[in-house]
Amino acid sequence: NYVRERKEAQVHILVTTQSTGAGGREYTVTFIGQQDFSGIDDTLKFITKPSLFLLRMKKLRNKSWLL
């Protein structure tokens, strides 16, 4: 379920991205436990290659032409 106020959620998910020196993207997904999950936090990081970013951008561009 979704809530409008982050304080009402049992898990707060924060996603950040940044460019890498090689042209790819680094994604960081932070899970912050609240209420019943208070004190249970985790972080997931992954890096995509530049070619994956370019492929995704091409797909998005092609979809926009279909609209």
Side-chain angles (χ1 to χ4, degrees), residues 6-24:
R6 67 177 178 87
K7 292 181 180 181
E8 293 180 13
Q10 291 195 7
V11 179
H12 181 78
I13 301 171
L14 177 64
V15 180
T16 58
T17 65
Q18 66 181 18
S19 298
T20 65

Side-chain angles (χ1 to χ4, degrees), residues 10-64:
Q10 291 195 7
V11 179
H12 181 78
I13 301 171
L14 177 64
V15 180
T16 58
T17 65
Q18 66 181 18
S19 298
T20 65
R25 303 289 295 172
E26 177 185 77
Y27 294 85
T28 303
V29 183
T30 306
F31 300 88
I32 304 165
Q34 302 182 137
Q35 298 176 18
D36 294 343
F37 298 100
S38 181
I40 303 174
D41 303 330
D42 205 357
T43 302
L44 171 67
K45 287 189 176 191
F46 60 95
I47 297 173
T48 60
K49 296 179 182 180
S51 58
L52 291 176
F53 179 72
L54 292 174
L55 180 62
R56 180 167 172 83
M57 292 307 292
K58 286 180 184 177
K59 285 183 179 180
L60 289 173
R61 185 177 61 217
N62 289 341
K63 282 184 180 181
S64 68

